[in-house]
Amino acid sequence: MQIAQNAVAAFHYTLTDDEGQVIDSSEGRDPLTYLHGSGQIVPGLEKQMEGRVAGDKFDAKVAPEEGYGVHHAELMQEVPKAAFQGVEDIQPGMQFQGRGPQGEINVTVSKVEGDTVFIDGNHPLAGKTLHFAIEVTDVRDASAEELEHGHVHGEGGHQH
Ligand code: ZN
């Protein structure tokens, strides 16, 4: 069967950036399983999964707008070290929960200079074009219960 609304699909993927650097991969792990049409994978990839069948291998290029979003300069801020009370040693790459205009956001420390900490509230992959190498391993109908819950049960899904 083909991947369509309310199908459960499993696939292996390797995600690389414009330079061909591997960002993430399912290699050595179980394939990723998702409920098609429920927004569990980035929109640009979900679109390109449509109509595929088990055994299909293809490359999918996804623009930031249909991936993890564009990069927002206003989500980059400089804050004094004193704002991080109770944190001993602030290092680039550390993540914190912060408050943004739309509620809680995850921020990543991008740089520390003296008493100033540069934080970035963008998703780490915001602004990046995503290059997926996909191999579809399985496609099946979702069960009535899965559709009701909006997620996949069993192998690769929720165990409950
Ligand atoms: Zn469930």
Side-chain angles (χ1 to χ4, degrees):
M1 65 175 281
Q2 292 184 317
I3 298 177
Q5 184 77 30
N6 297 337
V8 170
F11 64 94
H12 275 295
Y13 68 95
T14 296
L15 170 60
T16 52
D17 63 15
D18 281 331
E19 282 77 46
Q21 293 280 343
V22 175
I23 298 166
D24 191 16
S25 173
S26 63
E27 204 182 315
R29 303 201 304 256
D30 287 336
L32 190 70
T33 302
Y34 79 105
L35 177 61
H36 190 78
S38 65
Q40 285 163 3
I41 59 175
V42 294
L45 179 59
E46 189 162 52
K47 268 188 206 167
Q48 296 181 61
M49 294 294 284
E50 188 93 27
R52 308 285 180 175
V53 298
D56 275 0
K57 287 184 183 184
F58 64 99
D59 293 326
K61 185 177 168 184
V62 175
E65 292 79 4
E66 292 195 308
Y68 291 97
V70 295
H71 196 271
H72 295 283
E74 67 270 23
L75 292 177
M76 299 178 72
Q77 289 177 41
E78 297 173 28
V79 292
K81 239 183 201 171
F84 296 84
Q85 278 179 5
V87 186
E88 287 284 310
D89 187 22
I90 299 169
Q91 295 288 343
M94 288 173 92
Q95 294 195 317
F96 296 93
Q97 285 250 300
R99 268 186 298 277
Q102 265 105 45
E104 296 249 298
I105 54 166
N106 286 311
V107 300
T108 306
V109 174
S110 49
K111 186 166 72 162
V112 182
E113 267 178 20
D115 281 334
T116 306
V117 181
F118 295 78
I119 57 170
D120 189 348
N122 288 288
H123 188 280
L125 294 177
K128 288 203 195 317
T129 298
L130 311 171
H131 302 263
F132 289 98
I134 301 292
E135 181 183 357
V136 180
T137 57
D138 188 50
V139 184
R140 64 170 172 83
D141 284 315
S143 69
E145 195 187 41
E146 285 173 324
L147 292 176
E148 194 182 311
H149 289 199
H151 56 228
V152 176
H153 290 164
E155 208 174 317
H158 284 244
Q159 312 286 340
H160 69 157

